């Protein structure tokens, strides 16, 4: 924005006296003044650039009326235009204002100070409008390139804005979506009544769950197929009028990836459980093998002890007999410890061995054992 100081103004005026007076007045007030007496010359000055504001008389030798403004405005390239008009031409001045002029002045009425203020305000308003337009343009570009679908509706649900991603997500071109009820474009038939009811409740001040919240719900496109979507719907209130805006993201791929990941995790868990089961079975098998082998060896030791005890039962060696009794007792204890680990169908209980060793037929068993090699 231009601060107080030298401002370059183009005065387009064919009356030499009026143009001279304007130039003197504006020069005294710090303006740098350029004068054009015809439309053709003014357009050439504008093409060369360097002008900050235009003071335009609509009656020129080579142009007359509102068309003069149209031609200058088309070439102004954002330079503010203030129209000079007579008392009888104010209707034309209003038309120029509606078409983009910043202000107008009636010839011979305003003071020099008013002219200066009018020109400076025109520059400020033009700068403000330019900044606002650029801001809106940036916003439009951001929304247009957003990776989420974006729409905006009035409080009746009629589409006002529809970005490129909304076209891709829902299958409706912008020209087809604009002016249509949003609910008929994106909401499945079964949920349309509830969706409209929530919007109406929000307009009337009632709290609901869809507006101003991130919601996951099924939506549909032009082909009628439903898909899971994450929608954020919010409202903008201006002069008691609501405009609803929404961002929508199709989460179908995300759902598929999540489901695939859950399936993979479940499969890994099942594989791991099967591996643990196989390992456990192998350990149990190994345990049974070792247990059976250990039990057989302990039973053999016990048989040797019983044989020795049987052969030495009539001898006076008390200490030998006591040692053999201890050997038998300790072996029986070991067998009892091993017993729970062994498969009951494959084990021979130690009580059976003892009974056999103590029976009348023990001589046969003793002879069979005595013929074996020591362990």
């Amino acid at each position: 924005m231009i601060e107080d100081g030298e401002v370059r103004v183009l005065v387009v005026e064919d009356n030499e006296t009026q143009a001279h007076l304007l130039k003197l007045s504006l020069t005294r007030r710090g303006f740098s003044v350029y004068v054009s007496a015809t439309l053709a010359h003014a357009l050439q000055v504008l093409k060369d650039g360097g002008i900050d504001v235009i003071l335009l008389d609509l009656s020129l030798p080579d142009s007359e009326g509102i068309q003069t403004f149209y031609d200058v405005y088309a070439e102004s390239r954002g330079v503010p235009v203030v129209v000079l008009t007579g008392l009888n031409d104010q209707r034309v001045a209003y038309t120029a204002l509606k078409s983009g002029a910043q202000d107008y002045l009636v010839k011979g009425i305003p003071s020099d100070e008013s002219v200066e203020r009018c020109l400076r305000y025109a520059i400020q308003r033009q700068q403000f409008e330019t900044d606002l337009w650029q801001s809106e343009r940036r916003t439009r570009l951001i929304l247009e390139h957003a990776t989420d679908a974006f729409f905006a509706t009035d409080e009746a649900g009629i589409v006002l804005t529809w970005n490129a991603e909304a076209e891709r997500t829902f299958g409706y071109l912008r020209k087809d979506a604009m002016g249509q009820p949003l609910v008929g474009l994106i909401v499945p038939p079964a949920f349309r009544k509830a969706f409209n009811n929530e919007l109406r409740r929000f307009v009337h001040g009632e709290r609901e769950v869809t507006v101003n919240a991130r919601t996951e719900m099924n939506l549909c496109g032009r082909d009628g197929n439903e898909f899971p979507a994450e929608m954020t719907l919010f409202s903008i209130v201006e002069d008691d009028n609501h405009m609803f805006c929404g961002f929508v993201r199709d989460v179908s791929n995300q759902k598929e990836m999540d489901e695939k990941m859950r399936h993979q995790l479940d499969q890994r868990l099942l594989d791991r459980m099967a591996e643990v089961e196989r390992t456990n079975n192998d350990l149990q098998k190994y345990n049974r093998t070792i247990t059976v082998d250990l039990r057989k060896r302990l039973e053999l030791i016990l048989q040797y002890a019983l044989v020795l005890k049987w052969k030495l039962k009539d001898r006076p060696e008390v200490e030998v007999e006591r040692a053999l009794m201890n050997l038998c007792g300790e072996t029986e204890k070991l067998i009892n410890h091993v017993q729970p680990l062994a498969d009951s169908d494959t084990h021979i209980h130690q009580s059976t061995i003892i009974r056999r060793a103590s029976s009348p037929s023990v001589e046969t068993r003793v002879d069979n054992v005595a013929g074996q090699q020591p362990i």
Side-chain angles (χ1 to χ4, degrees), residues 89-329:
D89 296 330
Q90 293 189 50
R91 183 176 58 84
V92 178
Y94 291 145
T95 302
L97 288 177
K98 294 179 180 179
S99 301
Q102 286 295 332
D103 209 340
Y104 77 95
L105 294 170
V106 178
K107 293 180 181 180
I109 293 181
S111 63
D112 294 348
E113 181 180 353
S114 297
V115 173
E116 176 190 7
R117 185 168 57 251
C118 179
L119 294 178
R120 293 193 183 278
Y121 284 173
I123 294 172
Q124 292 175 353
R125 285 194 298 270
Q126 182 68 36
Q127 185 63 50
F128 175 78
E129 291 176 2
T130 300
D131 292 344
L132 181 61
W133 178 83
Q134 290 178 344
S135 176
E136 291 176 347
R137 180 175 179 272
R138 283 193 297 268
T139 301
R140 287 195 300 271
L141 288 174
I142 290 172
L143 293 177
E144 189 63 23
H145 291 85
T147 57
D148 289 350
F150 175 81
F151 59 80
T153 75
D154 61 16
E155 61 183 39
I158 303 301
V159 175
L160 304 175
T161 303
W162 192 262
N163 74 346
E165 187 59 32
E167 291 184 329
R168 289 187 286 269
T169 299
F170 299 106
Y172 295 97
L173 296 177
R174 183 183 288 105
K175 64 182 181 63
D176 297 327
M178 297 289 285
Q180 298 298 318
L182 175 70
V183 66
L185 299 179
I186 71 171
V187 180
F191 304 111
R192 290 175 183 175
K193 183 177 180 180
F195 190 86
N196 279 330
N197 287 339
E198 286 199 358
L199 293 184
R200 281 194 292 270
R201 286 200 298 271
F202 185 83
V203 170
H204 290 88
E206 299 178 19
R207 188 174 180 82
E208 39 60 56
V209 297
T210 300
V211 181
N212 295 331
R214 180 174 296 178
T215 305
E216 189 172 303
M217 60 185 300
N218 279 359
L219 299 178
C220 65
R222 189 165 195 163
D223 57 8
N225 294 328
E226 295 186 21
F227 59 89
E230 185 180 82
M231 181 171 68
T232 303
L233 186 64
F234 58 95
S235 69
I236 298 175
V237 181
E238 191 174 51
D239 297 331
D240 295 329
N241 294 320
H242 288 85
M243 182 172 71
F244 294 105
C245 304
F247 286 97
V248 174
R249 175 175 298 177
D250 184 347
V251 294
S252 300
N253 292 336
Q254 180 179 336
K255 291 285 187 182
E256 291 177 3
M257 292 179 61
D258 291 344
E259 184 63 28
K260 183 177 180 181
M261 184 172 294
R262 280 194 295 269
H263 177 73
Q264 291 176 345
L265 291 175
D266 290 343
Q267 188 59 48
R268 289 180 183 178
L269 179 59
L270 291 175
D271 293 343
R272 182 58 179 164
M273 291 175 64
E275 182 181 351
V276 170
E277 183 67 20
R278 288 193 299 270
T279 302
N280 185 56
N281 291 336
D282 291 342
L283 288 174
Q284 289 180 353
K285 183 178 179 180
Y286 178 77
N287 179 64
R288 286 194 297 268
T289 302
I290 294 298
T291 302
V292 170
D293 183 68
L294 179 59
R295 180 170 174 76
K296 287 180 178 179
R297 293 177 180 273
L298 289 173
E299 289 175 350
L300 190 57
I301 294 173
L302 180 59
Q303 291 174 15
Y304 280 125
L306 291 173
V307 169
L308 291 175
K309 179 183 177 183
W310 181 264
K311 290 183 175 295
L312 297 175
K313 64 180 180 179
D314 297 328
R315 298 186 182 184
E317 291 85 351
V318 178
E319 292 183 0
V320 174
E321 185 177 359
R322 185 183 298 112
L324 289 173
M325 290 295 294
N326 291 338
L327 177 59
C328 292

Side-chain angles (χ1 to χ4, degrees), residues 16-58:
E16 293 185 6
T17 301
Q18 184 70 26
H20 181 69
L21 291 175
L22 285 171
K23 183 173 183 179
L24 287 177
S25 173
L26 293 173
T27 300
R28 286 196 300 267
R29 293 182 174 275
F31 289 85
S32 179
V33 182
Y34 302 83
V35 177
S36 292
T38 64
L39 175 64
H41 183 263
L43 296 180
Q44 185 58 52
V45 173
L46 291 174
K47 286 181 180 179
D48 295 339
I51 299 299
D52 298 316
V53 62
I54 303 167
L55 190 57
L56 175 65
D57 182 8
L58 297 179

